[in-house]
Amino acid sequence: MASVTSLSDSVHQRLAAALSAALPQAGSADPLLRRSDRADFQANGILALAKKEKANPRELATQVVSRVESGEVIKDIEVSGPGFLNITITDRAIVETLAARYADDTGRLGVPQAQQPGTTVIDYAQPNVAKEMHVGHLRSAVIGDSVMRLLEFTGEHVVRRHHIGDWGTQFGMLIQYLEEHPHELDHKADEISGEEAMSNLDRLYKAARKLFDADEEFKTRARRRVVDLQAGDPQTLAMWQKFVDESKIYFFSVFEKLDMEIRDEDIVGESGYNDMLAETCRLLEESGVAVRSEGALCVFFDDIKGPDGNPVPLIVQKSDGGYGYAATDLSAIRDRVFNLKANNIIYVVDARQSLHFKMVFETARKAGWLGDDVKAYQLAFGTVLGKDGKPFKTREGETVRLVDLLDEAIDRASAVVREKAQDLSEEEIAERGTQVGVGAVKYADLSTSANRDYKFDLDQMVSLNGDTSVYLQYAYARIQSILRKAGASRPVAHPELELHEAERALGLHADAFAATVAEAATEYAPHKLAAYLYQLASLYTTFYDKCPVLKAETPEQIENRLFLCDVTARTLHQGMALLGIRTPERL
Ligand code: ARG
């Protein structure tokens, strides 16, 4: 596999070598290289180092400059201000580095893969059985999918877990209702659509609820069902399984609409840890991490406080012997650490569950299940707000159904595509409309940092101007159209040519793809990749305005510009793929 050294890395290496030659006691001090407006890069690290070593910063900077091996890479390096370095790259190095990325036939654009990958378990896309999916589940799925793709791309071994809510006392009344209405849910999985499955579940839920509230005897029978379920009564379990299967039909239809690959074998719901619950409690109690308090098994913390500022315990087992959400999550940690051999466990879950995870992680640390070599992290996301800035609700005050949102996004996007479309058939408009609409929803979510709340504003999401996926998709499709017009299948780079300012800016940014992906993956921050891609498309637009491509001055220049176009397109394509967003060839 061809991994390419980026320009910033090769400048970094040259500066670091010059720095330790000028000041041997500096060891491997970091020259702190950044992109800069004044030159291509600026190094800010000398100032702090000079201070530390009691040297004159400008003198040290001058020493470093005189020792830098500029090779074919550095065109110009000069001291500025109190001891900064401004560095300009040669045009040749820009084009040659991009050409090396372009030549990487794995399609990875020379982005390196980890030599010793670890194992990360990622817990995301976890809706609840017999319930409608809402915007919170959308965020977990969209963010989780992108982080998963980013990590896999860097070579990490990733295990996906969809911790669906498939267990609990609410199943008592559902199962009892089914027992008394045995003709319900009597169909094969492939006989009904996701929509039908959800409406079946909804109807059963409402009917069961009504009975439960009105009929004391039904209530008693439903409660007995809970006991049967927990005892593993086969007939009860079989009915429970019907609800799970019906829900999966619905979940899979939504995930498919989201253009997301969710595999059945990665769905390990709460029920998947039932066999471990008693053992988890025993281990916690024997080690003294948890103690009995009024019959319940609890973990107390010195420094974790509830929202009212008072200390709160984590209840692992209730006084009636029942296990809850916490016991399940603690058991899941044991499974992930000891069976799946995770080094990292990421939970893509609503910030409103942060207290729960804080207590669960701290308990697992006290028990020795988590530690320096196995870490758990909640990638907490904020709330989805309506245009009015309040939590997203329908006009009637109900939670918005995810499917309705997606359908509306697709409708709007199809209208945008139809308006711009020149030579697309109805079928193509529908297909592109879906790719643009779903992409718009995903991008709006991924382009804000996860911990922030974000406004769900469809008008803004499908806008052609501004930081939207549609803007990026159009940039990509425009490049494809130019390449088609030129009949260029694989334009060759011409490193001997002098570059226009806009070509340099585009090229330098394209080369930073590898560093951006690495940063977004290690920080679990897809928004950094989104910001990078938006900037890339913007720089491309400037380049396209300033530099004629097909009408450039010489055949070499035409080809070199086509090459820049193609590198940009491939970077956009790969970057969008890491966000889980399609880039249609024509729009
Ligand atoms: N099903 C839960 C919900 O809808 C999210 C599960 C999160 N993952 C976990 N391991 N607790 O809120």
Side-chain angles (χ1 to χ4, degrees):
M1 196 219 46
S3 125
V4 175
T5 307
S6 68
L7 291 167
S8 107
D9 280 350
S10 81
V11 173
H12 186 282
Q13 283 159 16
R14 285 160 204 273
L15 285 187
L19 197 55
S20 65
L23 192 71
Q25 66 268 43
S28 53
D30 188 348
L32 293 180
L33 196 65
R34 302 279 176 272
R35 279 303 304 280
S36 146
D37 292 336
R38 286 199 237 154
D40 294 333
F41 294 100
Q42 187 172 63
N44 302 336
I46 294 183
L47 230 51
L49 189 68
K51 206 169 170 194
K52 195 173 138 223
E53 300 295 335
K54 305 217 179 344
N56 177 321
R58 270 195 78 95
E59 248 164 52
L60 178 59
T62 311
Q63 291 276 331
V64 171
V65 168
S66 71
R67 286 181 159 81
V68 165
E69 292 252 15
S70 47
E72 300 256 278
V73 177
I74 296 175
K75 180 173 170 215
D76 206 19
I77 175 165
E78 55 175 37
V79 181
S80 96
F84 302 125
L85 296 180
N86 285 338
I87 299 125
T88 307
I89 305 296
T90 62
D91 291 356
R92 168 175 290 278
I94 294 175
V95 174
E96 277 177 351
T97 307
L98 289 181
R101 297 200 176 285
Y102 193 60
D104 175 3
D105 51 19
T106 64
R108 297 176 52 88
L109 294 153
V111 179
Q113 249 170 318
Q115 293 306 308
Q116 285 157 323
T119 297
T120 296
V121 172
I122 177 164
D123 181 320
Y124 71 105
Q126 329 95 330
N128 300 315
V129 165
K131 291 201 187 126
E132 195 78 64
M133 287 174 75
H134 55 68
V135 281
H137 296 126
L138 171 74
R139 290 210 80 181
S140 176
V142 169
I143 297 167
D145 184 58
S146 175
V147 171
M148 180 274 287
R149 286 163 181 263
L150 279 163
L151 289 172
E152 278 189 350
F153 192 69
T154 61
E156 180 79 354
H157 174 228
V158 183
V159 182
R160 319 175 197 177
R161 280 292 173 264
H162 309 295
H163 195 91
I164 62 171
D166 64 355
W167 201 251
T169 50
Q170 73 275 21
F171 283 97
M173 74 181 192
L174 288 171
I175 295 170
Q176 189 55 33
Y177 187 87
L178 189 61
E179 155 87 5
E180 295 171 20
H181 301 80
H183 51 284
E184 293 281 8
L185 301 189
D186 242 356
H187 47 247
K188 295 210 181 70
D190 53 3
E191 285 170 359
I192 60 165
S193 69
E195 203 107 353
E196 285 165 327
M198 190 58 236
S199 93
N200 283 339
L201 290 165
D202 196 43
R203 179 168 41 74
L204 292 182
Y205 187 88
K206 285 188 177 131
R209 183 85 238 175
K210 210 167 151 195
L211 262 186
F212 189 86
D213 289 338
D215 181 341
E216 275 306 315
E217 279 169 25
F218 179 77
K219 197 181 239 172
T220 311
R221 295 199 294 279
R223 293 214 166 117
R224 223 177 296 133
R225 272 296 162 190
V226 177
V227 180
D228 292 343
L229 181 66
Q230 276 161 353
D233 167 55
Q235 194 216 347
T236 304
L237 278 177
M239 285 187 286
W240 164 80
Q241 188 67 49
K242 282 194 170 191
F243 284 100
V244 176
D245 292 344
E246 190 83 358
S247 291
K248 282 192 184 172
I249 298 173
Y250 164 68
F251 296 158
F252 281 121
S253 75
V254 178
F255 290 134
E256 196 182 315
K257 189 163 261 182
L258 276 171
D259 192 16
M260 210 174 265
E261 183 214 35
I262 302 285
R263 302 176 303 207
D264 198 31
E265 70 263 31
D266 299 325
I267 301 183
V268 182
E270 295 176 8
S271 68
Y273 305 97
N274 281 347
D275 290 347
M276 300 176 73
L277 300 173
E279 170 92 353
T280 297
C281 288
R282 189 180 63 74
L283 291 170
L284 291 174
E285 193 169 3
E286 279 178 10
S287 60
V289 173
V291 291
R292 290 279 162 195
S293 166
E294 294 169 38
L297 187 62
C298 302
V299 183
F300 294 93
F301 308 93
D302 296 331
D303 45 6
I304 299 181
K305 306 265 185 320
D308 56 2
N310 292 321
V312 273
L314 182 71
I315 300 176
V316 188
Q317 189 183 20
K318 288 184 287 181
S319 54
D320 66 4
Y323 305 104
Y325 197 47
T328 310
D329 264 326
L330 286 163
S331 303
I333 289 185
R334 288 176 52 223
D335 182 51
R336 292 163 186 186
V337 172
F338 301 110
N339 298 327
L340 300 176
K341 309 270 183 256
N343 307 108
N344 284 298
I345 316 176
I346 313 171
Y347 294 80
V348 191
V349 185
D350 198 313
R352 285 171 284 197
Q353 294 189 33
S354 293
L355 180 60
H356 164 78
F357 283 107
K358 226 172 162 183
M359 295 197 288
V360 165
F361 296 165
E362 183 56 24
T363 301
R365 253 191 302 273
K366 286 187 185 188
W369 304 333
L370 294 175
D372 286 343
D373 46 347
V374 204
K375 296 217 159 59
Y377 175 75
Q378 183 194 4
L379 177 47
F381 54 78
T383 306
V384 181
L385 307 173
K387 266 191 189 175
D388 57 2
K390 300 210 181 91
F392 203 42
K393 292 266 153 63
T394 63
R395 234 173 288 149
E396 293 74 38
E398 286 175 35
T399 23
V400 184
R401 293 180 347 135
L402 184 48
V403 183
D404 294 341
L405 273 185
L406 290 174
D407 286 342
E408 199 181 334
I410 293 169
D411 279 353
R412 302 248 192 140
S414 303
V416 172
V417 173
R418 169 164 297 130
E419 200 175 300
K420 291 265 296 182
Q422 282 155 7
D423 51 357
L424 294 183
S425 68
E426 274 309 302
E427 198 183 319
E428 284 170 318
I429 291 177
E431 190 195 312
R432 306 297 197 285
T434 306
Q435 295 178 342
V436 170
V438 171
V441 170
K442 289 185 178 180
Y443 188 86
D445 194 329
L446 293 171
S447 57
T448 9
S449 129
N451 59 15
R452 300 213 350 231
D453 296 346
Y454 89 98
K455 273 197 191 147
F456 199 96
D457 180 350
L458 279 174
D459 293 324
Q460 193 274 328
M461 284 181 196
V462 299
S463 156
L464 292 167
N465 302 308
D467 189 5
T468 62
S469 61
V470 198
Y471 175 70
L472 298 176
Q473 286 167 323
Y474 265 106
Y476 179 80
R478 255 198 326 266
I479 300 177
Q480 294 310 318
S481 134
I482 294 168
L483 293 171
R484 274 195 302 273
K485 222 180 266 170
S489 62
R490 235 182 138 79
V492 172
H494 291 274
E496 72 284 1
L497 295 178
E498 204 176 300
L499 297 179
H500 185 281
E501 206 40 53
E503 292 177 294
R504 306 186 84 255
L506 179 64
L508 282 164
H509 193 66
D511 182 48
F513 181 63
T516 307
V517 167
E519 190 180 339
T522 37
E523 296 177 17
Y524 311 142
H527 74 278
K528 297 210 165 164
L529 176 59
Y532 167 89
L533 294 171
Y534 176 56
Q535 173 86 17
L536 183 66
S538 307
L539 289 169
Y540 177 79
T541 307
T542 311
F543 154 78
Y544 189 70
D545 286 347
K546 300 258 161 74
C547 307
V549 176
L550 299 178
K551 295 201 170 112
E553 279 163 28
T554 61
E556 288 76 22
Q557 195 171 49
I558 293 177
E559 193 168 32
N560 200 49
R561 287 186 177 165
L562 285 169
F563 157 77
L564 283 174
C565 286
D566 204 9
V567 171
T568 305
R570 281 165 202 261
T571 310
L572 280 173
H573 175 80
Q574 181 61 264
M576 292 288 265
L578 293 172
L579 298 179
I581 301 175
R582 303 263 174 189
T583 38
E585 299 294 301
R586 283 170 208 263
L587 263 180

